[in-house]
Amino acid sequence: MTRKRINVGLIGLGTVGGGVARLLLEQQRRLSDYLGAELTLARAADRDPALAQGLDLPAGVLVADGAAVVADPQVDIVVELIGGLEPARAFVLAAIAGGKHVATANKALLAHHGREIFLAARQKGVGVAFEASVGGGIPLIRSLREGLAANDISHCLGILNGTCNFILSKMTAEGAAYADVLAQAQQEGYAEADPTFDVAGTDTAHKLAIIAALVTGRQPELNDISTEGITKIAPLDIQLAGEFGFKVKLLAVLRKVGQAVELRVHPTLVPLGHPMASVDGPFNALFVEGDWVGEVLLYGRGAGRRPTASAVVGDVLDLARDVLCGCPGRVPPLGSAAEPEGPLALAPLDQTVCKYYFRFAAQDKPGVLAAISAVLAEHRISIEAVIQKGREEAGPVPIVMLTHEANEAAVQRALARINALPFIAEDTMFIRVAG
């Protein structure tokens, strides 16, 4: 009996794209038997033909322009792996307009243009799959969209950037400075030559935008997500956090508070007993709290050629199944069949309520602690614990406080007052605490 053929067109043969091509070619027989149809890499495009060396692509498969992949009438599924916004957006929309299904790992594209892409797919009746866009090889998207669909998810905490987690883990284990660990991360291939996209929190914010869309059914405006990176974290903060019983992690936070939704990315103190505190090195994790399932932890390798290629090909198989069953778009991209009501409105950051870590750099003189405490009390900020270090060398000494829950706006007003006091040597370091 002749089996139906599903043709895949791949745009981009870089690190992940090359891995996808290799997986599709080397495991074609196994994947086809699993699917019950011939799964074939029919077209692969990259402007740099050198990237195809060693892939052993069949004759006629390699082309220079992604537009040729999109325009090929024999291609059923287009896999976009070039990254960035353009021409990736143009390729994806053109594929959808041509009735082709799309798999992508492009978190920036979905964070910026997800609404447009998902609407186009809905109107055309095709599927869009993006498991590899968040969490690499972790089945995170599928879990939120399908496995946990029965739940009202109230809270998510994500460690979603392996570069930042590697740096903070190394700083914690070795007591090394940020700049030194960053250089090591670059040497070992965990950080780019220009690491800004990662260490400033931008990559994590893109991924949080996608998670928020899956949880709420509405896409947030990326610029509305409060985003801070890890560049200001000092070894002293990591050491003192440990004395309080915490680790410092860069977290993506989603929290529903009444009818509002908080979305924020920032360094966070995580209690040592929390599952997220044990996520170290380049690994990623998402902690989810649902009203029926309770607490769920999704953990694994968040990047890399093989884990990410695994997720992409998993998406290709899902899309191919829908084609074979004649039910493309069976699962909407965001899970919900409800029409989105516009962008997701976010609660302002200044309404956030959580605990805080403060590190003041102050002159070692009588009355300093009392003066700081008085300003905090004026702003209804209650102190839970204090560590005051003695002088080890000339200069200011650290006074470190952990607060009870306080309002962000009040915290910002109090710190502005404290930073202006004559005995404060530098702006106060503050880190939010996971709740």
Side-chain angles (χ1 to χ4, degrees):
M1 180 177 178
T2 302
R3 296 199 294 193
K4 183 176 175 61
R5 180 183 296 273
I6 303 291
N7 289 321
V8 178
L10 173 61
I11 305 176
L13 290 173
T15 300
V16 176
V20 169
R22 190 174 298 281
L23 179 51
L24 288 172
L25 292 169
E26 293 181 356
Q27 301 295 322
Q28 182 185 19
R29 179 52 47 212
R30 180 178 64 82
L31 295 173
S32 295
D33 289 345
Y34 179 79
L35 182 62
E38 292 299 317
L39 188 67
T40 302
L41 180 59
R43 289 285 181 269
D46 203 290
R47 293 178 179 177
D48 183 1
L51 293 176
Q53 293 179 4
L55 292 177
D56 197 23
L57 294 173
V61 169
L62 182 64
V63 295
D65 189 356
V69 174
V70 172
D72 189 332
Q74 300 302 312
V75 168
D76 302 294
I77 299 170
V78 172
V79 179
E80 180 278 308
L81 295 174
I82 57 175
L85 301 182
E86 293 292 353
R89 171 181 166 275
F91 287 148
V92 167
L93 290 175
I96 291 170
K100 302 180 190 304
H101 310 279
V102 173
T104 179
N106 194 334
K107 65 262 184 181
L109 176 67
L110 296 177
H112 283 276
H113 299 295
R115 279 198 303 276
E116 178 185 21
I117 290 167
F118 298 150
L119 178 59
R122 181 191 293 263
Q123 293 174 341
K124 196 66 180 180
V126 300
V128 177
F130 48 96
E131 183 65 67
S133 65
V134 184
I138 308 170
L140 188 154
I141 301 298
R142 194 169 287 107
S143 296
L144 291 175
R145 186 171 57 193
E146 300 176 51
L148 299 174
N151 288 262
D152 179 14
I153 293 173
S154 60
H155 191 201
C156 294
L157 298 176
I159 295 173
L160 303 176
N161 184 272
T163 298
C164 290
N165 204 44
F166 175 85
I167 291 171
L168 292 174
S169 298
K170 278 283 186 180
M171 290 176 70
T172 301
E174 301 174 3
Y178 165 79
D180 295 335
V181 177
L182 173 60
Q184 181 182 350
Q186 289 169 321
Q187 290 172 359
E188 296 184 19
Y190 290 115
E192 301 287 345
D194 180 0
T196 305
F197 189 73
D198 294 313
V199 299
T202 307
D203 174 75
T204 300
H206 287 163
K207 295 171 182 176
L208 179 58
I210 295 170
I211 289 171
L214 288 162
V215 168
T216 67
R218 289 183 292 164
Q219 190 112 7
E221 294 289 350
L222 192 59
N223 291 337
D224 291 343
I225 299 176
S226 175
T227 305
E228 301 170 25
I230 64 170
T231 57
K232 295 181 180 178
I233 300 296
L236 180 59
D237 295 310
I238 290 176
Q239 173 197 332
L240 294 169
E243 293 184 27
F244 278 127
F246 296 91
K247 276 188 178 180
V248 180
K249 298 290 184 182
L250 182 72
L251 286 191
V253 179
L254 180 153
R255 186 169 67 167
K256 293 180 181 176
V257 184
Q259 299 302 310
V261 178
E262 294 180 2
L263 294 182
R264 38 194 170 90
V265 173
H266 50 69
T268 310
L269 265 61
V270 179
L272 291 176
H274 194 284
M276 298 295 277
S278 62
V279 180
D280 287 326
F283 284 84
N284 281 195
L286 183 71
F287 176 84
V288 179
E289 191 170 338
D291 57 346
W292 284 82
V293 74
E295 297 177 350
V296 174
L297 181 68
L298 302 165
Y299 168 85
R301 292 192 176 275
R305 182 179 225 188
R306 294 174 69 90
T308 310
S310 166
V312 172
V313 174
D315 277 345
V316 169
L317 291 168
D318 266 359
L319 293 169
R321 286 194 192 97
D322 288 350
V323 172
L324 292 172
C325 294
C327 54
R330 178 185 62 86
V331 179
L334 297 179
S336 173
E339 291 283 350
E341 301 174 355
L344 176 66
L346 303 185
L349 180 63
D350 63 10
Q351 293 181 9
T352 295
V353 175
C354 64
K355 295 182 177 183
Y356 291 83
Y357 159 100
F358 299 145
R359 174 171 56 82
F360 306 99
Q363 295 175 16
D364 189 6
K365 56 191 297 185
V368 167
L369 181 57
I372 292 173
S373 300
V375 174
L376 294 176
E378 286 178 27
H379 292 83
R380 304 179 66 83
I381 300 169
S382 174
I383 301 168
E384 180 178 322
V386 179
I387 297 175
Q388 186 168 7
K389 295 291 186 180
R391 184 195 300 273
E392 295 183 0
E393 55 185 31
V397 297
I399 299 174
V400 185
M401 295 182 180
L402 191 68
T403 76
H404 292 286
E405 286 192 340
N407 170 261
E408 175 87 17
V411 166
Q412 296 292 350
R413 289 193 297 269
L415 293 185
R417 283 269 308 278
I418 291 170
N419 290 340
L421 295 173
F423 49 76
I424 297 295
E426 58 189 51
D427 286 349
T428 300
M429 180 66 184
F430 75 99
I431 306 175
R432 299 172 188 89
V433 179

